[in-house]
Structures are given as C-alpha cells and as structure tokens.
Amino acid sequence: MSSNARTKRRAKSTVVSPSPPLPFLGEPSESLYPSREELWRLLAVVAIAASVIVACNFVIGVLNRKPKPFCDSVGESSTADSLSDFCEPCPKNGVCSNGELECVHGYKKLGRTCVEDGEINQTAKKLSEQIELRLCQSHAQHLCEGTGAIWFQDVDILKELDEQMLMGNSGLTKEIFIYAKQRAMGIIESSLEVQISDGVKLLKCPEQLAVLYRSRLCCIRQWIHRNALIVLPVPFLLIILMKLLRKIRRSRYLSTRAEELYEQVCDILEENAMSSKTTSGEQECWVVASQLRDHLLLPKERKDAVLWKKVEELIQEDSRIDQYPKLIKGESKIVFEWQASLSSRTRMKRATRMEKLVNNAFDSPLKQQRKLEDNKFSYAEGS
C-alpha cells in the first residue's frame, strides 16, 4: 500500500503542468480564409487560362501539320485508291509528280487546286473577236458590193493571230503564247462555219452574223433594191400631192382675196355715188375699172391676172353695179357705176355708228374713266 502511494505521487510530480499560451500564437482570424465569391473567381480564371492553352496548342498543331502529298497522275486507278489514305488525289487540270502539283497551260495554282488563268482567257477572247470582226466585215462587203472574200484558210488565220499577238505585246511566255493562240483558234472555230476542202480547213463568217456588220448605206441601198416597186412611185406621188395642195391653197387665197377686193369695190362705188349726188354733178358717178384695179391691188398682185378676173366675175354678178365702156380723153375704157340707192349695207354702217355714239353718250363716268385708263395702259404697253 505504501509502495503504490509512493508511485502515484511520483507520477503526479512528473506530469508537467501546461504553460500559458504565447501572445503572438493566438487563433487565426476569419479574414485569412478566402470567401466563396473569391473561390469562384479563381476557378473562372483557371478555366479561361486552360481553354486558351488548349486552343493555342490546337492552332499550332494545325499550322505545323503538313498536308498530304499529291498522288502521281500516272498510274492505275487501283494503285491511287490504295494510296488515297497516304496521298491526296491530283486535282483536275493538274499534273502531279513526286507529291507536287503543277497546273497545265491556261491554268494557275490557287491553293491546292488549278483554276483558269484570266489573263490568258482575256487575251484569247480578244484575239478571237478581232479575227471574227475581220472575217465578218469581209463577208458583209461581199454581200453589199461583191468584192470581199468569204472563205479563209486556217493557216492564214494562225498567221494573223501571230501578228495580232506581236502587235499587242502581251508579255506572255512562249508556251503560254502558243496556248492562248490555240485557245483563240478554238473559240473562232466554235463561232464560225468550218469546212474542209482537199485537206485544207476553211472558215467562214455565217451569213446571219455577217448581215449585222453591214454599213448603213449598204442597208439602205439593199432595202431600196428589195422594195423598188414600192419606192419608185413615192416621189411621183409626193410631187402630185404637193401640186394638188399648192393648187388648193392658191384657190382658197384667190377666193378670199377676191371677196375682200369685191367688198372694197362696192364701198368705193357706193361712196362715189353718194358724193356725186351731194356735189350736184360736179363729181362723176362712175369710176374707171383700170384705175380702181391699180388702186386696190398691191404691186405684186397686179401681175396676177386671175385675181382681178375673179373680182370682175363677182362684179358682173352684182346687179347694183353697171359696167360699160366710156370714151375718156379719146380712149375707150371700162367704167363701173353704182346704180342702187342707199343700200342696206350703208344703212347698217350708219346704224352701227349711231349705236356707238349713243352707247358712248349714256356710259357712266366710271365706265368712261375705266376705258380711258385701259387705253392709257395699252398705249404704255405698246410703247
């Protein structure tokens, strides 16, 4: 018992009592740990960085990847099919050898395909148009005048193509030059008529196309020749029509002018008759026809005998006018004399004058002033 007690005492004495905590090793604060929003932001930044790295690696791999080589153009189809996994088939209009692509003449390389060379096509088209123009103009000249050639040999056309190419100075290489000439020749043969005679190829512009190259003078001449039966009578018909219109116009002029002169003759004879009555015979009641004619007609109208003849016909039909010869100064002359009394026409003239005087007398001062102002305004405009 005593020994156990002693042992317990020794154990208690050996237990070290805990020392008090240091002041700088206290519990961590809550601000030391990241919040939930900051954790989400960190995850988003890491995700974006990872996606950028993956995209860059993909682009670098695509750029650094070497394309498949082209399969050789020469070879059996079975061999090409068996090698399709290791090489790319040769594109159309291309020649492939040792994995490289070369385009045939008239085509140029664009990426991994062959496309037509626009400069060569334009050159060939321009040359074909020039040759077509020359051949069609020659055929059109033959249609119009019968002097131009119709058929041309292909050798002559090739020579002319060479001349056109040299004149154009297109700057093409010799191989491309030959290809452009062949291309132009193909276009020409497709648009023109081709005929082989004794082993020689001949070309001709179609007549339907040559007709479009005729000159305007040629077209007019050919139209007149085709429609001669219709065209020839036209000038004669026009001449007849013009003469007829001129005759109708002159007839109307003579009728209108003769009536005007007839009215003037009646007025002069009537006034002369009234004057002779008022003067108690001091003035003659008749008027010489020739003097009256020269008084009324203009100088250019005196040469027209038909005009005064129509006036005399109207005078002869008027029963109020006497026409008889009279000896004047030893010469016999035709005179006109007014035999009727005061005619209705004179009464109408006098009545019109009286009516005007009455209207002017009974007009209000305001109306007279307005008329005076209107006359002044019209006079000012005329001046």
Side-chain angles (χ1 to χ4, degrees):
M1 294 292 290
S2 60
S3 59
N4 292 334
R6 289 176 183 175
T7 304
K8 291 181 180 179
R9 289 176 186 158
R10 288 176 182 175
K12 289 181 181 180
S13 60
T14 55
V15 175
V16 180
S17 61
S19 60
L22 297 175
F24 59 88
L25 294 177
E27 294 182 359
S29 62
E30 296 180 356
S31 61
L32 181 61
Y33 297 98
S35 62
R36 182 176 297 178
E37 294 179 356
E38 292 176 348
L39 288 174
W40 283 112
R41 291 176 184 174
L42 178 61
L43 291 175
V45 170
V46 172
I48 293 172
S51 62
V52 169
I53 292 172
V54 173
C56 291
N57 289 332
F58 178 77
V59 171
I60 292 172
V62 171
L63 294 176
N64 292 332
R65 185 179 62 182
K66 293 182 179 180
K68 290 181 181 181
F70 290 102
C71 303
D72 292 343
S73 302
V74 181
E76 297 180 356
S77 59
S78 60
T79 305
D81 294 337
S82 62
L83 297 175
S84 61
D85 296 336
F86 304 97
C87 62
E88 186 176 346
C90 190
K92 189 179 180 181
N93 301 317
V95 178
C96 301
S97 178
N98 298 325
E100 299 294 333
L101 171 64
E102 291 184 2
C103 298
V104 298
H105 296 304
Y107 293 85
K108 61 182 179 180
K109 191 175 179 181
L110 182 63
R112 298 179 65 81
T113 59
C114 293
V115 297
E116 288 187 349
D117 192 345
E119 184 179 359
I120 296 176
N121 290 333
Q122 290 180 0
T123 303
K125 187 177 180 181
K126 184 178 180 181
L127 291 172
S128 62
E129 289 177 353
Q130 292 176 354
I131 297 298
E132 180 180 338
L133 176 64
R134 182 180 177 280
L135 268 61
C136 291
Q137 285 181 346
S138 178
H139 194 177
Q141 185 178 359
H142 179 79
L143 293 176
C144 293
E145 303 175 2
T147 56
I150 299 178
W151 293 97
F152 294 85
Q153 295 184 6
D154 58 344
V155 178
D156 298 334
I157 295 176
L158 290 173
K159 290 181 180 179
E160 189 166 352
L161 285 174
D162 292 336
E163 295 176 359
Q164 294 291 341
M165 291 287 286
L166 292 175
M167 290 174 60
N169 193 13
S170 57
L172 303 176
T173 61
K174 184 177 180 180
E175 295 180 353
I176 297 177
F177 175 87
I178 295 173
Y179 176 79
K181 185 172 67 172
Q182 293 175 354
R183 189 70 178 272
M185 195 66 185
I187 297 173
I188 293 169
E189 291 179 358
S190 62
S191 60
L192 302 180
E193 293 183 9
V194 181
Q195 180 180 354
I196 299 176
S197 176
D198 298 332
V200 179
K201 185 182 290 186
L202 301 174
L203 290 93
K204 164 192 170 184
C205 178
E207 187 172 351
Q208 296 81 0
L209 184 61
V211 170
L212 303 177
Y213 289 87
R214 296 175 301 171
S215 61
R216 293 184 179 179
L217 182 62
C218 176
C219 294
I220 294 172
R221 187 167 60 247
Q222 289 184 350
W223 184 85
I224 294 175
H225 185 267
R226 289 195 304 269
N227 302 277
L229 297 178
I230 300 175
V231 175
L232 288 177
V234 171
F236 299 100
L237 293 176
L238 290 176
I239 293 173
I240 294 172
L241 181 62
M242 291 177 63
K243 288 184 177 181
L244 182 61
L245 292 175
R246 186 177 179 182
K247 187 175 181 181
I248 294 172
R249 183 180 178 183
R250 176 170 171 75
S251 178
R252 290 182 178 179
Y253 165 75
L254 290 175
S255 300
T256 305
R257 182 60 177 160
E259 291 178 358
E260 293 178 357
L261 294 173
Y262 166 72
E263 292 290 337
Q264 295 177 9
V265 168
C266 291
D267 292 340
I268 291 173
L269 293 177
E270 188 174 4
E271 291 178 359
N272 185 63
M274 293 176 61
S275 299
S276 63
K277 289 180 180 181
T278 54
T279 55
S280 301
E282 294 180 359
Q283 183 178 351
E284 300 293 342
C285 60
W286 43 263
V287 178
V288 179
S290 59
Q291 295 178 357
L292 184 60
R293 179 196 62 197
D294 296 338
H295 174 71
L296 296 176
L297 294 181
L298 298 174
K300 63 179 181 179
E301 293 178 340
R302 296 172 187 172
K303 300 178 181 179
D304 191 357
V306 180
L307 178 59
W308 187 250
K309 188 175 181 180
K310 284 187 171 292
V311 176
E312 290 179 344
E313 291 177 357
L314 295 175
I315 292 173
Q316 290 178 359
E317 294 174 358
D318 194 345
S319 59
R320 299 169 299 177
I321 302 174
D322 286 345
Q323 181 179 355
Y324 55 88
K326 188 173 183 63
L327 189 63
I328 301 173
K329 296 182 180 180
E331 295 182 5
S332 178
K333 296 184 178 181
I334 303 298
V335 297
F336 296 144
E337 183 178 354
W338 186 265
Q339 295 294 335
S341 58
L342 189 61
S343 63
S344 59
R345 183 173 53 189
T346 306
R347 294 192 188 97
M348 289 178 63
K349 287 183 180 179
R350 290 184 177 180
T352 303
R353 292 175 184 173
M354 291 297 295
E355 186 177 359
K356 288 182 180 179
L357 292 174
V358 172
N359 290 335
N360 292 332
F362 285 97
D363 277 346
S364 62
L366 182 60
K367 289 184 179 180
Q368 293 179 1
Q369 184 177 0
R370 287 179 180 176
K371 289 182 179 180
L372 182 60
E373 291 177 356
D374 293 340
N375 293 333
K376 289 180 179 180
F377 181 72
S378 60
Y379 176 75
E381 287 184 346
S383 59

